[in-house]
Amino acid sequence: MKEFFKYVLATIVGIILTSIIFTIITIVSVAGMVANEGTSGSVPKNSVLRIKLQGEIVDRAGEGSPMDFLNYGEDFTIGLDQALDALKKAAKNDRVKGIYLEAGSLGAYPADLQELRRALVEFKESGKWIVAYGDSYSRAAYYLCSVADEIYLNPIGSIDWSGMSSQPIFFTGLMKKIGVKMQVFKVGTYKSAVEPYINTEMSDANREQVMSYLSSIWNNMLKDVAKSRKLEVDALNSMADTTIVLCEAKTYIENKLADKLAYLSDVKEALKQRLELGEDDDLKFTNIADVAAGDNLGDKVSEEVAVYYAYGEINDSQGRGFDQEHAITTKETITDLQKLRKNKDVKAVVIRVNSPGGSAYASEQIWHEIQLLRAEKPVIISMGGLAASGGYYISCGANEIWAEPMTLTGSIGIFGMIPDASELLTQKLGLSFDVVKTNAMSDFGAMGRPFNANESAKLQAYVNQGYELFTGRVAGGRGMAQDSVKAIAEGRVWTGEQAKKIGLVDKLGNLDDAIEAAAKLAEVEKYTVGRYPSPEPWYMSLLDKSTNEYMESQIRAALGEYYSAFALVRRIGKMDPIQARMPFDPNIK
């Protein structure tokens, strides 16, 4: 009888598990149909391209997941590559009559905003219109929406036009309480990535560089918005100081930041009038994915300019990067670049870099592979929102470097940061350590004690050696004397427009400009643009047992703007000890 119940129980469990598996398969299948509905690239006649400026802008759009419909639009991203493609196609697609920008809380690096904004301006130059509406506009969303022919604001809405700030978080006090301190070895007066772990406030040098690049970014935004809204730069700057903070909605109209106060229903009526629709006619919206999925512009030819996306933290191991979603890993990147080097159809390569840097060792390996690639075909760097420290390291040896005026780059410096938990272990936890060793350095890096003077000197010398190598690579790539590089290095962060003036960047422009430059160097007139590597299919995340994307997303949502800094603390023990990295997160607000 006991065996009978055992088999019955096993059968019931098996039935339940089978039912669960079939249920999951059914849900995914149905979700796939839902997700695919409307994403076939079919654009309705007389439609409006609706772009929701919410979430964050990332370099590339993924394939998406059939389960995305469960998010109810609360958490999504805008793939910059897909959005730029859609805007080009929308300008030439007779079915798309205009664009409706729906403002919200949008996060992005300033240079990514600048590139997307330029594409919106080019769309308008095709003769089509743009209308914007928002209950509230974040500064990033307003910067984009300022290109619109008409800007509508909710009667009790607001526009964030309060200037820019950077507010780093310092962990020194917390670490002191738990008995941990950082042992830091660095080169570069401005190399401030270590400051949150050894200071309680910004150093004078760091404050100087942050004020410099913030001012450069803000001045670019002022000039762009002033031109679109037909306002004076000084007037816009003055509004940021006084008028526009916690004011009535009508104040934005009076100061010409917006055109009309309206509710969403009123805006939809205005869109119907632009489309010459009747009262009973429905508005037809399309989206970025549908438009981008339309026919490619131009004929496909065999000769190709390859665009290779290198974004995320640079590391020497498999795994995800600074945002836990993307990484520039040595093995994968080198393998990809080798394939492009050997592909005879690829006549030139544009490497799109968006990275805060990372492992100095990994950066050197990737730099070397780029030199091998450059020996056989032209290599152009297109810098995105961030191409600093290790991101600049891998860029410096290219034929040309292009950046947006608001790109954050430079940060040419090296540091090592190793925790000393001896106080935590010995005084707070009561542990004791002893050692038997055959040589003076046998217990180098031992737990229970900080580095001694000899060990510290060797680590600093090793960091100095890395700095010499880094600045030497820059000098060779940029055709500058090494001393001249050191004069503008010191770990200092520059904007793209500043970097061009001091020789770290060749030209200012977007990805399309870089592609055209690459084709010119390769002496090809007709070419296809190929994009690498291929986005990872959504189902791979389900098969990857080394990640817990759901838990990670929940932590990210809970911590918000503090997530990046805490994620770095969590991974310090797994990082290479010597880093070519800018401040982990510029924390621009």
mmCIF file of all heavy atoms in Angstrom, residues 556-580:
data_model
loop_
_atom_site.group_PDB
_atom_site.id
_atom_site.type_symbol
_atom_site.label_atom_id
_atom_site.label_comp_id
_atom_site.label_asym_id
_atom_site.label_seq_id
_atom_site.Cartn_x
_atom_site.Cartn_y
_atom_site.Cartn_z
ATOM 1 N N ARG A 556 17.034 47.352 -9.294
ATOM 2 C CA ARG A 556 17.254 48.596 -10.034
ATOM 3 C C ARG A 556 16.081 49.555 -9.848
ATOM 4 O O ARG A 556 16.253 50.755 -9.662
ATOM 5 C CB ARG A 556 17.446 48.283 -11.525
ATOM 6 C CG ARG A 556 17.827 49.503 -12.351
ATOM 7 C CD ARG A 556 17.906 49.169 -13.836
ATOM 8 N NE ARG A 556 18.998 48.259 -14.121
ATOM 9 C CZ ARG A 556 18.835 47.004 -14.505
ATOM 10 N NH1 ARG A 556 17.620 46.489 -14.636
ATOM 11 N NH2 ARG A 556 19.877 46.241 -14.756
ATOM 12 N N ALA A 557 14.870 49.010 -9.899
ATOM 13 C CA ALA A 557 13.678 49.850 -9.732
ATOM 14 C C ALA A 557 13.609 50.439 -8.327
ATOM 15 O O ALA A 557 13.240 51.599 -8.141
ATOM 16 C CB ALA A 557 12.427 49.028 -10.023
ATOM 17 N N ALA A 558 13.992 49.639 -7.324
ATOM 18 C CA ALA A 558 13.919 50.106 -5.938
ATOM 19 C C ALA A 558 14.955 51.178 -5.639
ATOM 20 O O ALA A 558 14.666 52.174 -4.960
ATOM 21 C CB ALA A 558 14.106 48.923 -4.987
ATOM 22 N N LEU A 559 16.177 51.002 -6.170
ATOM 23 C CA LEU A 559 17.254 51.940 -5.863
ATOM 24 C C LEU A 559 17.266 53.149 -6.787
ATOM 25 O O LEU A 559 17.842 54.186 -6.450
ATOM 26 C CB LEU A 559 18.615 51.226 -5.936
ATOM 27 C CG LEU A 559 18.864 50.142 -4.879
ATOM 28 C CD1 LEU A 559 20.210 49.483 -5.111
ATOM 29 C CD2 LEU A 559 18.795 50.733 -3.480
ATOM 30 N N GLY A 560 16.666 53.022 -7.962
ATOM 31 C CA GLY A 560 16.603 54.147 -8.881
ATOM 32 C C GLY A 560 17.977 54.674 -9.243
ATOM 33 O O GLY A 560 18.866 53.935 -9.652
ATOM 34 N N GLU A 561 18.185 55.986 -9.062
ATOM 35 C CA GLU A 561 19.432 56.624 -9.457
ATOM 36 C C GLU A 561 20.619 56.145 -8.635
ATOM 37 O O GLU A 561 21.773 56.342 -9.017
ATOM 38 C CB GLU A 561 19.306 58.146 -9.313
ATOM 39 C CG GLU A 561 19.095 58.583 -7.867
ATOM 40 C CD GLU A 561 18.680 60.044 -7.766
ATOM 41 O OE1 GLU A 561 17.514 60.349 -8.078
ATOM 42 O OE2 GLU A 561 19.522 60.860 -7.388
ATOM 43 N N TYR A 562 20.367 55.492 -7.484
ATOM 44 C CA TYR A 562 21.465 55.008 -6.641
ATOM 45 C C TYR A 562 21.938 53.617 -7.048
ATOM 46 O O TYR A 562 22.937 53.122 -6.539
ATOM 47 C CB TYR A 562 21.028 54.972 -5.177
ATOM 48 C CG TYR A 562 20.529 56.309 -4.672
ATOM 49 C CD1 TYR A 562 19.181 56.511 -4.408
ATOM 50 C CD2 TYR A 562 21.399 57.361 -4.480
ATOM 51 C CE1 TYR A 562 18.720 57.741 -3.966
ATOM 52 C CE2 TYR A 562 20.949 58.602 -4.034
ATOM 53 C CZ TYR A 562 19.601 58.783 -3.769
ATOM 54 O OH TYR A 562 19.153 59.980 -3.347
ATOM 55 N N TYR A 563 21.239 52.983 -7.981
ATOM 56 C CA TYR A 563 21.551 51.596 -8.327
ATOM 57 C C TYR A 563 22.974 51.431 -8.848
ATOM 58 O O TYR A 563 23.701 50.531 -8.439
ATOM 59 C CB TYR A 563 20.558 51.081 -9.375
ATOM 60 C CG TYR A 563 20.975 49.752 -9.954
ATOM 61 C CD1 TYR A 563 20.765 48.575 -9.253
ATOM 62 C CD2 TYR A 563 21.615 49.683 -11.202
ATOM 63 C CE1 TYR A 563 21.162 47.358 -9.767
ATOM 64 C CE2 TYR A 563 22.023 48.469 -11.710
ATOM 65 C CZ TYR A 563 21.790 47.312 -10.995
ATOM 66 O OH TYR A 563 22.196 46.117 -11.510
ATOM 67 N N SER A 564 23.386 52.310 -9.764
ATOM 68 C CA SER A 564 24.689 52.145 -10.401
ATOM 69 C C SER A 564 25.822 52.165 -9.400
ATOM 70 O O SER A 564 26.750 51.352 -9.458
ATOM 71 C CB SER A 564 24.900 53.249 -11.449
ATOM 72 O OG SER A 564 23.951 53.151 -12.475
ATOM 73 N N ALA A 565 25.765 53.112 -8.455
ATOM 74 C CA ALA A 565 26.839 53.215 -7.466
ATOM 75 C C ALA A 565 26.882 51.989 -6.563
ATOM 76 O O ALA A 565 27.949 51.438 -6.282
ATOM 77 C CB ALA A 565 26.652 54.485 -6.641
ATOM 78 N N PHE A 566 25.719 51.519 -6.101
ATOM 79 C CA PHE A 566 25.686 50.342 -5.235
ATOM 80 C C PHE A 566 26.099 49.077 -6.002
ATOM 81 O O PHE A 566 26.728 48.185 -5.445
ATOM 82 C CB PHE A 566 24.299 50.161 -4.622
ATOM 83 C CG PHE A 566 24.072 51.025 -3.415
ATOM 84 C CD1 PHE A 566 23.345 52.190 -3.511
ATOM 85 C CD2 PHE A 566 24.614 50.674 -2.192
ATOM 86 C CE1 PHE A 566 23.139 52.997 -2.395
ATOM 87 C CE2 PHE A 566 24.418 51.475 -1.073
ATOM 88 C CZ PHE A 566 23.680 52.640 -1.167
ATOM 89 N N ALA A 567 25.764 49.019 -7.284
ATOM 90 C CA ALA A 567 26.162 47.869 -8.094
ATOM 91 C C ALA A 567 27.675 47.802 -8.202
ATOM 92 O O ALA A 567 28.261 46.713 -8.193
ATOM 93 C CB ALA A 567 25.526 47.959 -9.482
ATOM 94 N N LEU A 568 28.318 48.958 -8.304
ATOM 95 C CA LEU A 568 29.779 48.976 -8.366
ATOM 96 C C LEU A 568 30.377 48.473 -7.059
ATOM 97 O O LEU A 568 31.320 47.674 -7.056
ATOM 98 C CB LEU A 568 30.281 50.395 -8.660
ATOM 99 C CG LEU A 568 31.803 50.560 -8.706
ATOM 100 C CD1 LEU A 568 32.397 49.690 -9.809
ATOM 101 C CD2 LEU A 568 32.187 52.016 -8.912
ATOM 102 N N VAL A 569 29.826 48.906 -5.935
ATOM 103 C CA VAL A 569 30.325 48.441 -4.634
ATOM 104 C C VAL A 569 30.215 46.921 -4.550
ATOM 105 O O VAL A 569 31.129 46.229 -4.087
ATOM 106 C CB VAL A 569 29.524 49.092 -3.482
ATOM 107 C CG1 VAL A 569 29.947 48.509 -2.151
ATOM 108 C CG2 VAL A 569 29.748 50.602 -3.481
ATOM 109 N N ARG A 570 29.106 46.390 -5.026
ATOM 110 C CA ARG A 570 28.857 44.957 -4.952
ATOM 111 C C ARG A 570 29.866 44.164 -5.765
ATOM 112 O O ARG A 570 30.225 43.039 -5.411
ATOM 113 C CB ARG A 570 27.448 44.667 -5.468
ATOM 114 C CG ARG A 570 27.033 43.217 -5.318
ATOM 115 C CD ARG A 570 25.634 43.002 -5.835
ATOM 116 N NE ARG A 570 25.553 43.231 -7.261
ATOM 117 C CZ ARG A 570 24.427 43.130 -7.962
ATOM 118 N NH1 ARG A 570 23.301 42.852 -7.347
ATOM 119 N NH2 ARG A 570 24.414 43.346 -9.255
ATOM 120 N N ARG A 571 30.388 44.769 -6.865
ATOM 121 C CA ARG A 571 31.255 44.021 -7.760
ATOM 122 C C ARG A 571 32.736 44.327 -7.589
ATOM 123 O O ARG A 571 33.556 43.795 -8.329
ATOM 124 C CB ARG A 571 30.862 44.316 -9.215
ATOM 125 C CG ARG A 571 29.474 43.836 -9.580
ATOM 126 C CD ARG A 571 29.306 43.798 -11.092
ATOM 127 N NE ARG A 571 29.624 45.056 -11.742
ATOM 128 C CZ ARG A 571 28.818 46.104 -11.787
ATOM 129 N NH1 ARG A 571 27.647 46.060 -11.173
ATOM 130 N NH2 ARG A 571 29.164 47.203 -12.414
ATOM 131 N N ILE A 572 33.076 45.182 -6.633
ATOM 132 C CA ILE A 572 34.476 45.579 -6.488
ATOM 133 C C ILE A 572 35.393 44.374 -6.311
ATOM 134 O O ILE A 572 36.474 44.303 -6.893
ATOM 135 C CB ILE A 572 34.637 46.575 -5.314
ATOM 136 C CG1 ILE A 572 34.211 47.971 -5.770
ATOM 137 C CG2 ILE A 572 36.079 46.606 -4.812
ATOM 138 C CD1 ILE A 572 34.232 49.010 -4.681
ATOM 139 N N GLY A 573 34.970 43.408 -5.535
ATOM 140 C CA GLY A 573 35.804 42.238 -5.282
ATOM 141 C C GLY A 573 36.056 41.400 -6.514
ATOM 142 O O GLY A 573 37.026 40.637 -6.569
ATOM 143 N N LYS A 574 35.196 41.501 -7.538
ATOM 144 C CA LYS A 574 35.332 40.683 -8.742
ATOM 145 C C LYS A 574 36.021 41.442 -9.881
ATOM 146 O O LYS A 574 36.308 40.862 -10.925
ATOM 147 C CB LYS A 574 33.951 40.216 -9.211
ATOM 148 C CG LYS A 574 33.220 39.347 -8.184
ATOM 149 C CD LYS A 574 31.854 38.942 -8.702
ATOM 150 C CE LYS A 574 31.095 38.100 -7.683
ATOM 151 N NZ LYS A 574 29.755 37.715 -8.159
ATOM 152 N N MET A 575 36.250 42.745 -9.683
ATOM 153 C CA MET A 575 36.836 43.555 -10.738
ATOM 154 C C MET A 575 38.336 43.370 -10.803
ATOM 155 O O MET A 575 38.981 43.026 -9.816
ATOM 156 C CB MET A 575 36.522 45.038 -10.493
ATOM 157 C CG MET A 575 35.063 45.415 -10.683
ATOM 158 S SD MET A 575 34.654 47.026 -9.961
ATOM 159 C CE MET A 575 35.987 48.035 -10.540
ATOM 160 N N ASP A 576 38.922 43.611 -11.997
ATOM 161 C CA ASP A 576 40.371 43.669 -12.090
ATOM 162 C C ASP A 576 40.860 44.776 -11.163
ATOM 163 O O ASP A 576 40.231 45.848 -11.078
ATOM 164 C CB ASP A 576 40.792 44.000 -13.526
ATOM 165 C CG ASP A 576 40.713 42.784 -14.438
ATOM 166 O OD1 ASP A 576 40.431 41.695 -13.917
ATOM 167 O OD2 ASP A 576 40.939 42.927 -15.647
ATOM 168 N N PRO A 577 41.976 44.556 -10.459
ATOM 169 C CA PRO A 577 42.436 45.568 -9.500
ATOM 170 C C PRO A 577 42.862 46.871 -10.139
ATOM 171 O O PRO A 577 42.809 47.920 -9.504
ATOM 172 C CB PRO A 577 43.622 44.881 -8.802
ATOM 173 C CG PRO A 577 44.055 43.810 -9.739
ATOM 174 C CD PRO A 577 42.827 43.356 -10.450
ATOM 175 N N ILE A 578 43.305 46.835 -11.404
ATOM 176 C CA ILE A 578 43.746 48.045 -12.089
ATOM 177 C C ILE A 578 42.689 48.438 -13.113
ATOM 178 O O ILE A 578 42.374 47.673 -14.021
ATOM 179 C CB ILE A 578 45.111 47.839 -12.771
ATOM 180 C CG1 ILE A 578 46.126 47.298 -11.763
ATOM 181 C CG2 ILE A 578 45.603 49.136 -13.376
ATOM 182 C CD1 ILE A 578 46.312 48.168 -10.536
ATOM 183 N N GLN A 579 42.159 49.645 -12.950
ATOM 184 C CA GLN A 579 41.032 50.090 -13.755
ATOM 185 C C GLN A 579 41.356 51.354 -14.547
ATOM 186 O O GLN A 579 42.050 52.249 -14.074
ATOM 187 C CB GLN A 579 39.824 50.389 -12.850
ATOM 188 C CG GLN A 579 39.256 49.160 -12.165
ATOM 189 C CD GLN A 579 38.368 48.348 -13.089
ATOM 190 O OE1 GLN A 579 37.445 48.864 -13.709
ATOM 191 N NE2 GLN A 579 38.649 47.062 -13.179
ATOM 192 N N ALA A 580 40.850 51.397 -15.780
ATOM 193 C CA ALA A 580 40.833 52.619 -16.586
ATOM 194 C C ALA A 580 39.376 52.995 -16.703
ATOM 195 O O ALA A 580 38.668 52.553 -17.598
ATOM 196 C CB ALA A 580 41.459 52.373 -17.960
#
